[in-house]
Amino acid sequence: MSASLQTVSGSVQRVGVVGGGQMGAGIAEVCARAGLDTVVCEADAAAARGARERVAASLERAVRRGRLDRVRAEDALARLVFTGSLDDLADRQLVVEAAVENADVKTGIFAALDKIVEDPEAVLATNTSAIPVMRLGMATQRADRVLGLHFFNPVPVMPLVEIVTSLHTSAETVRTAEDFATATLGKTAIRSQDRSGFVVNALLIPYLLAAIRMAESGFATAADVDAGMELGCAHPMGPLKLADLIGLDTVAAIAESLYGEFKEPLYAPPPLLQRMVEAGLLGRKTGRGFHTYDRG
């Protein structure tokens, strides 16, 4: 291994993030706030500008709410570079893929990163919620350096990261990723085997789908389903509000992945969820899902 990189020793300093949407922007923000040189790659220059605006807005919210001082926010933004070219990730020590939850798209990204990222011992991680890590690792010639780093939304606030290992992931790669998540980013890490949904979504998605079926059948309104779980079970957010926050397209994609792997009926996306996705009613990000939102 190159003396300048020393990835295994926990000295990851140069991070790449592929995808600057809600999750990718959040991952990039926490990396920059941790003092890391961070490059965010989007599909093109226009999307890269949108990603920068997304991170800048999140940092500004943190300042307004007293969670971050102005100088640290400005320093974090200064550590970020936004690009429309994967080639700009060539010198990265760790890359987190946070693209759309589509197996073909993610596989293509990993195949490209395998050719672009120069250090053979760099860690290539995916933020997928449900797609098998093995499938992505096998798109590369370095499956031992591929694993899942699954963050939760909103990334700057949520303290958990799931570390997901495939049958090929090396112990050295796991140590590097765990040190990155805990010592560098200050997150709590839990480990999961490479099964669709991992720990959290394998438990969460059937619950969300049950709530959707309840509303779909007319058994209870969306407002009453959410109020029941918030006030009756002390959940901070009802299941349909949570589905809207996650994004109904993402919920449907995870459900399809879970059902495809396990063939359990409770994992199958309900027809109402599928129709809402087809209609573009995706929750908070579009202004309407099971509830309506002010997009401003």
Side-chain angles (χ1 to χ4, degrees), residues 203-225:
L203 295 169
L204 175 64
I205 295 300
Y207 162 63
L208 300 185
L209 298 181
I212 293 169
R213 292 188 186 100
M214 186 172 281
E216 179 180 52
S217 70
F219 188 91
T221 66
D224 285 346
V225 170

Side-chain angles (χ1 to χ4, degrees), residues 192-211:
S192 171
Q193 294 297 311
D194 187 17
R195 301 291 184 273
S196 186
F198 316 135
V199 173
V200 173
N201 281 319
L203 295 169
L204 175 64
I205 295 300
Y207 162 63
L208 300 185
L209 298 181

Side-chain angles (χ1 to χ4, degrees), residues 181-268:
T182 58
T184 302
L185 301 186
K187 302 292 188 182
T188 296
I190 62 174
R191 295 192 189 185
S192 171
Q193 294 297 311
D194 187 17
R195 301 291 184 273
S196 186
F198 316 135
V199 173
V200 173
N201 281 319
L203 295 169
L204 175 64
I205 295 300
Y207 162 63
L208 300 185
L209 298 181
I212 293 169
R213 292 188 186 100
M214 186 172 281
E216 179 180 52
S217 70
F219 188 91
T221 66
D224 285 346
V225 170
D226 284 338
M229 296 309 294
E230 289 168 10
L231 303 179
C233 294
H235 288 199
M237 184 181 293
L240 299 177
K241 289 179 184 175
L242 179 55
D244 280 351
L245 176 63
I246 294 168
L248 300 187
D249 52 340
T250 301
V251 172
I254 299 170
E256 288 165 0
S257 180
L258 285 163
Y259 184 69
E261 179 145 315
F262 298 109
K263 302 298 189 291
E264 292 280 356
L266 76 165
Y267 291 137

Side-chain angles (χ1 to χ4, degrees), residues 78-126:
R79 291 189 193 96
L80 288 157
V81 172
F82 296 84
T83 178
S85 173
L86 281 175
D87 289 339
D88 291 329
L89 304 179
D91 70 339
R92 300 294 93 180
Q93 296 164 283
L94 184 148
V95 179
V96 182
E97 170 276 314
V100 63
E101 193 72 359
N102 178 288
D104 291 338
V105 171
K106 289 181 183 291
T107 300
I109 289 170
F110 272 81
L113 289 173
D114 186 41
K115 296 179 175 65
I116 291 167
V117 177
E118 295 169 352
D119 178 13
E121 295 183 335
V123 174
L124 304 182
T126 176

Side-chain angles (χ1 to χ4, degrees), residues 95-167:
V95 179
V96 182
E97 170 276 314
V100 63
E101 193 72 359
N102 178 288
D104 291 338
V105 171
K106 289 181 183 291
T107 300
I109 289 170
F110 272 81
L113 289 173
D114 186 41
K115 296 179 175 65
I116 291 167
V117 177
E118 295 169 352
D119 178 13
E121 295 183 335
V123 174
L124 304 182
T126 176
N127 186 57
T128 183
S129 301
I131 295 168
V133 173
M134 178 64 78
R135 183 181 307 176
L136 305 180
M138 293 305 287
T140 76
Q141 298 300 311
R142 51 175 111 184
D144 62 315
R145 306 301 295 176
V146 175
L147 83 173
L149 275 177
H150 182 219
F151 293 80
F152 292 82
N153 186 41
V155 180
V157 176
M158 297 295 281
L160 185 69
V161 176
E162 289 180 310
I163 295 178
V164 186
T165 57
S166 80
L167 295 174

